[in-house]
Amino acid sequence: MPERRDPPPTDEGWYALHDFRSIDWDAWRDAPERERQRALDEGVDHLQSHLGVEDAEDGQSALYSILGHKADFLVVHLRPTTADIGAIERRFEQTDFARFTERTTSFVSVTEASGYSERARDYFTGDLDEDSGLYNYIQTRLKPTIPDATHVCFYPMDKRRQPDQNWYDLPFDERAEHMDAHGDIGRDYGGKIVQMITGAIAIDDWEWGVTLWGDDLTDMKDLLYEMRFDPSTSQYADFGSFYVGRRFPPADLDALLAGEPVPTDADHAEGTAESGPVHPAEADGDHAVQAHSDEGHVAHPQADDGHAAPATNGGDGEHPDGGDTDSHGGAHPGSAAEGDHPHDIEETETDDIASLLATLGLHEGEDYDAGDFGLVLYSTADADELAGEVDDLRGNFEHYDSHVATVVRAHSGRSAIASIWDNERAADTAQGFLTDLSGVTETVRGPLDGSGETQTEQTTAEDTDAAAESIREELHDLDIYAGQPHGEDIVALVLYSTADREELVAEVDDLSGGFDRYDTHDGTKVYADPDSDTKAVVSLWETKDAADTASGYLADLPGVVGWAGEGEGFGTMGMFYTVKPEHREDFVEKFDVVGGMLADMDGHRETSLLVNVDDENDMFIASQWDSKDDAMGFFRSDAFSDTVDWGRDVLADKPRHVFLA
């Protein structure tokens, strides 16, 4: 007996009607003015009442002018029941305006959510808490909101059922893999496109309907063009006719009939009204592809065997994101996606979120920019255990440009989750996901407007000093000297340049001559890497203020490619290894041996040996690690201890280590 393939479970929500109409232009032109005006008034009244959802308890409608010959306008209706949808059709036919129109086509379908992952199936088996973010998130997919975007694009589609290209003959896992890969493409269009996938099996002639919304029509073209090359489309998708149009208000119906551009009010064309709840990582601007999935991918609950998940509900359509809803979901309380979040989560708005973030080690200019929006959630869960949950969630967030940072910190006896987004709307929806984390009891949120910059800079300096002191103390316990170069009161600036060596040396010599007029200057030198074109400029100062001033001049040197300590990871430099001349070659050979060992260590990125261009016995080592713990793992090793012991005989003075986090 042939093997039966497993379909994913589904849940259905509101019914959708896409009603395409053309104008009988001959009849309109021939009608007396009085009849045209009466028809126009009834048409506007009918459309306004239905866009206002005066005919039902829930739902939404939108009106669009259609480009091309296939229709003149489209009305999209979302309603809770088929009775509501049927009544809308009959009421329109009773208006005087209807006799001047002809229905060119229509599409009846229903919003749909389904899933392939175990987490998503919890929703269908009833094992998902109705207070959870995932439950509330799926509900927003079943009862979606139409965004007030400028353009709409609609098309129906099927999954192919040919002998060698039969979607329904594929094993369950293979279908899931197709959808996941397909969704990777759509995630690049977060913040540009919102979409809704509705199911129509046994309801209409096609299996699914795809509705895309966005302000720039070429974004839809680019998205669907890119998806044409994905196997889930090229091998398994068939499409019907495409319809594109522009949204306009019913009050502009007379302008449409008069051949004028619609909407007539420029404000309508902006398309910036609320588009409903979206996944936080996708809330890049006012519109976004809405979705969420497991395994580090953001996607949306899918319809039966979908390409990828929809923005506003699940489906098997050609659309930006794919995969199952999983792990987390929901929206910020007060949004259209609001469910019954646990009532014991306290929420506080603050204008000084920057100060709170600073206590958690996140600072403006380093970790985020002015204008971002911050969240801090406190949890009773263990910080280490909570970090695992946040890692999974962060994997989803980081697909999107709107996400800035999400970290876990132990703070004042509690665990704290800090999450920063580049706009409030993204943060709003992220909060719905974050409140599902274990033990969350309190949320503090607010804009990062830059007003706390001075305080942040001060806190940054204090935190940096504290971190450096902590590292020095640990190295001291290991019998490793970890002072700053040439004494504890010296501040080191290090930048890298790919400029011509002679040109850079000449520039640095001139700059150093000017620096020498100040008592706080302790030397500025160039170090070169014999194995690459990179040079390091090291400038030493007695005070931080003097070093900060000097940094402005140093940044103007030719070929600068970055400052030590910039970017991700943990930079540590063992610098000023002053070698006894007779042991210079021994030191270089020893570095090669240690460098080979470093290459095999976890967390090690790169280590280079640079030499002072004026004194070949003055060495500078630049080393980059993923984290402080990785670097400290090396310093705690027996191999490093042996190297230190060996160095006592070949070095002219103690090695001095400077750490840049």
Side-chain angles (χ1 to χ4, degrees):
M1 184 174 180
E3 181 183 357
R4 183 177 182 271
R5 300 302 185 189
D6 294 328
T10 65
D11 194 11
E12 287 70 35
W14 287 347
Y15 289 88
L17 170 64
H18 290 68
D19 191 356
F20 293 90
R21 301 274 174 161
S22 65
I23 305 295
D24 185 341
W25 293 107
D26 290 336
W28 183 256
R29 282 189 297 267
D30 293 341
E33 175 62 26
R34 184 177 63 252
E35 290 184 19
R36 290 202 302 264
Q37 189 59 52
R38 183 172 62 249
L40 184 61
D41 291 342
E42 287 194 19
V44 170
D45 289 345
H46 171 87
L47 292 169
Q48 286 180 334
S49 69
H50 285 80
L51 265 62
V53 197
E54 298 173 9
D55 59 294
E57 293 184 3
D58 290 303
Q60 196 172 13
S61 298
L63 176 64
Y64 302 90
S65 63
I66 295 299
L67 308 178
H69 71 284
K70 299 170 188 172
D72 289 310
F73 67 92
L74 158 69
V75 189
V76 178
H77 299 290
L78 297 172
R79 293 296 187 273
T81 70
T82 54
D84 295 325
I85 291 293
I88 286 175
E89 296 184 83
R90 293 189 298 273
R91 288 182 187 129
F92 178 78
E93 297 297 347
Q94 293 172 9
T95 66
D96 279 346
F97 180 66
R99 68 187 182 91
F100 293 102
T101 72
E102 295 178 2
R103 173 178 278 165
T104 58
T105 190
S106 65
F107 194 82
V108 179
S109 54
V110 64
T111 61
E112 178 179 273
S114 68
Y116 284 82
S117 71
E118 292 183 6
R119 174 65 173 161
R121 286 197 293 274
D122 287 344
Y123 171 83
F124 299 100
T125 59
D127 295 331
L128 193 62
D129 187 346
E130 293 188 5
D131 286 336
S132 71
L134 175 56
Y135 181 89
N136 292 319
Y137 182 74
I138 292 178
Q139 291 304 304
T140 66
R141 306 287 69 79
L142 300 177
K143 302 172 183 178
T145 300
I146 298 175
D148 191 16
T150 303
H151 291 101
V152 67
C153 172
F154 171 82
Y155 57 94
M157 68 163 293
D158 285 342
K159 295 306 265 184
R160 194 167 291 159
R161 296 187 298 278
Q162 296 179 3
D164 296 327
Q165 294 174 308
N166 192 329
W167 174 259
Y168 298 96
D169 275 347
L170 295 179
F172 185 95
D173 291 343
E174 188 172 344
R175 280 178 274 138
E177 289 177 4
H178 272 294
M179 289 185 292
D180 189 53
H182 194 69
D184 286 340
I185 300 172
R187 281 182 278 275
D188 292 336
Y189 292 82
K192 297 179 181 179
I193 297 173
V194 179
Q195 63 177 348
M196 176 177 71
I197 311 300
T198 52
I201 294 176
I203 299 175
D204 214 309
D205 295 338
W206 294 82
E207 295 174 339
W208 286 276
V210 182
T211 309
L212 304 178
W213 289 284
D215 289 327
D216 189 341
L217 194 58
T218 60
D219 288 335
M220 302 178 195
K221 172 185 176 295
D222 293 342
L223 168 64
L224 296 182
Y225 175 72
E226 190 172 349
M227 285 185 167
R228 288 299 187 271
F229 294 90
D230 183 71
S232 62
T233 299
S234 62
Q235 297 180 28
Y236 297 108
D238 287 321
F239 304 98
S241 296
F242 281 68
Y243 297 80
V244 296
R246 291 175 58 90
R247 186 163 185 171
F248 74 100
D252 284 350
L253 187 59
D254 59 342
L256 177 78
L257 294 168
E260 299 173 4
V262 291
T264 58
D265 186 344
D267 290 340
H268 293 304
E270 293 299 323
T272 57
E274 286 295 325
S275 61
V278 297
H279 186 284
E282 298 161 314
D284 202 46
D286 289 313
H287 305 298
V289 176
Q290 305 170 359
H292 184 70
S293 83
D294 57 347
E295 300 181 1
H297 298 294
V298 176
H300 185 74
Q302 299 158 342
D304 179 53
D305 304 335
H307 277 9
T312 21
N313 34 290
D316 210 357
E318 171 80 357
H319 42 68
D321 38 354
D324 301 309
T325 299
D326 195 18
S327 301
H328 306 281
H332 174 60
S335 75
E338 180 181 0
D340 295 327
H341 280 282
H343 296 294
D344 57 349
I345 297 181
E346 178 183 351
E347 180 178 313
T348 303
E349 295 277 349
T350 179
D351 293 330
D352 194 21
I353 192 75
S355 295
L356 180 55
L357 289 171
T359 66
L360 301 175
L362 298 170
H363 307 286
E364 183 179 320
E366 294 185 11
D367 304 293
Y368 62 85
D369 297 324
D372 291 342
F373 198 91
L375 302 170
V376 176
L377 298 92
Y378 291 102
S379 170
T380 58
D382 179 77
D384 290 338
E385 295 178 0
L386 193 61
E389 293 185 48
V390 171
D391 285 344
D392 292 339
L393 191 56
R394 188 191 300 110
N396 289 333
F397 288 170
E398 289 180 350
H399 284 290
Y400 301 92
D401 293 338
S402 54
H403 179 242
V404 178
T406 298
V407 299
V408 177
R409 298 282 191 264
H411 181 64
S412 301
R414 294 188 292 178
S415 298
I417 308 107
S419 190
I420 304 173
W421 299 81
D422 71 6
N423 66 83
E424 182 176 0
R425 187 177 175 207
D428 281 350
T429 312
Q431 185 174 333
F433 289 74
L434 292 164
T435 52
D436 276 346
L437 294 170
S438 298
V440 172
T441 60
E442 180 183 352
T443 301
V444 182
R445 46 183 281 122
L448 296 159
D449 56 10
S451 59
E453 183 175 351
T454 301
Q455 182 177 358
T456 299
E457 291 176 350
Q458 179 180 355
T459 306
T460 301
E462 293 172 354
D463 288 351
T464 301
D465 292 342
E469 183 61 27
S470 173
I471 296 170
R472 284 196 293 270
E473 289 174 357
E474 184 170 356
L475 289 179
H476 177 74
D477 293 338
L478 297 171
D479 196 27
I480 300 169
Y481 179 76
Q484 293 178 322
H486 304 303
E488 293 298 322
D489 295 330
I490 296 297
V491 177
L493 295 173
V494 181
L495 59 79
Y496 298 105
S497 171
T498 57
D500 175 79
R501 173 171 168 166
E502 284 69 29
E503 178 188 9
L504 182 64
V505 169
E507 291 276 355
V508 169
D509 285 344
D510 289 343
L511 197 56
S512 183
F515 288 165
D516 283 340
R517 291 178 296 174
Y518 302 94
D519 294 337
T520 52
H521 183 233
D522 201 44
T524 298
K525 299 294 183 181
V526 176
Y527 291 74
D529 182 352
D531 298 323
S532 76
D533 293 331
T534 299
K535 275 74 63 178
V537 179
V538 179
S539 189
L540 308 178
W541 297 84
E542 293 182 0
T543 68
K544 184 178 184 303
D545 288 343
D548 288 343
T549 302
S551 66
Y553 295 91
L554 292 165
D556 291 331
L557 289 171
V560 171
V561 294
W563 290 85
E566 278 187 338
E568 299 178 347
F570 180 87
T572 174
M573 297 170 295
M575 56 192 306
F576 302 110
Y577 285 83
T578 306
V579 184
K580 295 176 182 177
E582 64 269 27
H583 291 294
R584 185 185 186 282
E585 295 303 319
D586 295 334
F587 183 86
V588 173
E589 291 177 5
K590 187 68 172 180
F591 173 81
D592 289 338
V593 173
V594 174
M597 181 190 72
L598 288 172
D600 296 327
M601 292 194 68
D602 291 339
H604 177 257
R605 295 187 180 184
E606 184 179 13
T607 295
S608 301
L609 176 67
L610 297 94
V611 180
N612 187 332
V613 297
D614 295 326
D615 181 2
E616 67 173 3
N617 297 313
D618 182 13
M619 307 288 185
F620 171 85
I621 294 179
S623 188
Q624 189 73 20
W625 301 79
D626 287 343
S627 68
K628 170 193 167 185
D629 289 341
D630 291 323
M632 294 307 300
F634 168 65
F635 288 116
R636 297 185 190 106
S637 68
D638 292 338
F640 182 77
S641 180
D642 293 341
T643 302
V644 171
D645 290 338
W646 173 85
R648 300 182 195 280
D649 295 327
V650 303
L651 298 179
D653 58 12
K654 290 183 178 180
R656 298 171 175 89
H657 297 86
V658 172
F659 294 82
L660 300 178

